[in-house]
Amino acid sequence: MAVKQGSLVCVGPGMVLGAHMSERCRNHISQADVVFSSCHPVIEQWISTMNPDVRSLQGLYGKDKDRGQTYTEMQAALMQAVRDGCRVVGVFYGHPGVFAQVPHASIKQAREEGFEAWMEPGISADACLYADMGIDPGAYGYQSFETSQFMFYERVIDPTAYLILWQLGHAGDLSMTPRQTGPKELTVLMNMLLEHYAPNHKIAIYESPFLPTQQPKTAWFSLQELPQAEVSLISTLVIPPGNKLTPNHAIVKQLKSISGA
Ligand SMILES: C[S@@+](CC[C@H](N)C(=O)[O-])C[C@H]1O[C@@H](n2cnc3c(N)ncnc32)[C@H](O)[C@@H]1O
């Protein structure tokens, strides 16, 4: 199929205003025919200084509106501009491909329709978390889940690794609206985690700032205090390993016989 005239690139400005945006991301924004944005309002104001046609997608969210419907409408807005022959840029905060359905789905659709479409990486919330909390994900390994998906499906937890739960503010939300859930859903989550970790196991809620003048927030508390924790829609839950790594003697023995060590 011949590549058609419209194009789509999804970019991420990172988390902190004015601090994380790559040159490539900035160039795509300034050279676009139209820019669609789903970011913090302050970041959207900043992006508006880079291109005369920046359209916020945030207005598509509605109090009791299904988030899936909002994502469909966001994708439709991007795709209509691509079909109109525009160089379209979608700006999604952090990294556009991390816990973000619309950029992945839109790029897939654009390619299926014969348009050029790709993604540029950005600095995500977990990238900030590793830096601010001093966590090396390679030290013990880590598992990363969307909290509600983690609750709705049977997942296998490895308590010797870090466990990172995203979208804690929507924990256990069956309505799929933008509403924030509360202590009752967090109690269900706590009980799930108590099957793997001690009640006094220390866990943390991490929130990266959006402004360079703000400090990162890391609130530590015991697992048994999770239902009362102060949670917002930008909260990420960090659960450090609860168990020590168990050596795999049989495999090490096999490897020794290969290397002769
Ligand atoms: C829809 S995802 C978007 C993630 C984003 N694309 C990224 O690259 O980080 C939203 C979730 O990301 C995490 N998140 C977003 N903003 C954050 C922040 N400022 N600090 C910590 N975590 C954040 C939270 O878990 C939040 O519920």
Side-chain angles (χ1 to χ4, degrees):
M1 200 192 306
V3 175
K4 298 184 198 163
Q5 197 192 347
S7 65
L8 172 65
V9 53
C10 291
V11 300
M15 303 301 294
V16 179
L17 176 77
H20 290 171
M21 187 184 282
S22 69
E23 275 306 302
R24 254 170 115 125
C25 172
R26 185 189 283 270
N27 288 341
H28 282 306
I29 292 171
S30 60
Q31 288 163 19
D33 295 320
V34 50
V35 177
F36 291 93
S37 166
S38 179
C39 299
H40 189 285
V42 183
I43 294 194
E44 294 200 337
Q45 268 180 22
W46 177 51
I47 291 168
S48 297
T49 64
M50 300 172 200
N51 187 297
D53 191 355
V54 177
R55 306 176 195 177
S56 177
L57 293 166
Q58 293 292 335
L60 294 174
Y61 285 105
K63 191 167 160 278
D64 297 316
K65 187 170 165 186
D66 187 299
R67 275 183 280 146
Q69 175 61 27
T70 298
Y71 300 153
T72 303
E73 290 170 11
M74 288 180 174
Q75 187 175 336
L78 291 167
M79 283 309 304
Q80 190 51 54
V82 172
R83 291 186 201 112
D84 288 345
C86 298
R87 276 175 305 173
V88 179
V89 168
V91 189
F92 297 85
Y93 79 94
H95 184 308
V98 173
F99 289 81
Q101 294 178 20
V102 176
H104 284 294
S106 304
I107 288 171
K108 183 168 179 281
Q109 188 180 359
R111 286 177 179 166
E112 281 169 3
E113 293 186 21
F115 297 101
E116 199 181 2
W118 73 101
M119 183 180 283
E120 297 286 352
I123 295 181
S124 55
D126 60 335
C128 299
L129 184 157
Y130 303 137
D132 292 332
M133 292 186 69
I135 293 172
D136 179 349
Y140 300 103
Y142 74 106
Q143 290 179 301
S144 191
F145 297 110
E146 197 280 327
T147 307
S148 292
Q149 189 196 63
F150 174 78
M151 297 172 80
F152 297 158
Y153 295 89
E154 293 192 13
R155 310 303 301 253
V156 180
I157 301 181
D158 176 358
T160 65
Y162 275 89
L163 176 61
I164 297 181
L165 295 180
W166 298 66
Q167 306 214 125
L168 185 65
H170 294 305
D173 176 27
L174 291 162
S175 73
M176 274 297 287
T177 59
R179 88 179 174 95
Q180 189 170 330
T181 51
K184 288 185 180 155
E185 288 86 356
L186 291 176
T187 301
V188 175
L189 176 63
M190 176 190 71
N191 288 332
M192 289 176 74
L193 294 170
L194 281 172
E195 290 177 24
H196 303 272
Y197 303 92
N200 62 354
H201 187 59
K202 288 283 180 273
I203 62 177
I205 286 179
Y206 168 77
E207 293 180 2
S208 150
F210 286 110
L211 300 176
T213 48
Q214 296 170 330
Q215 292 301 313
K217 179 178 147 190
T218 305
W220 287 97
F221 51 90
S222 301
L223 173 55
Q224 62 201 351
E225 296 169 316
L226 179 59
Q228 289 77 46
E230 205 179 301
V231 175
S232 81
L233 291 176
I234 61 163
S235 296
T236 298
L237 187 65
V238 180
I239 304 169
N243 294 349
K244 290 204 166 110
L245 290 168
T246 309
N248 190 334
H249 295 298
I251 293 293
V252 172
K253 195 172 160 194
Q254 263 186 51
L255 293 170
K256 278 185 178 162
S257 71
I258 294 170
S259 68

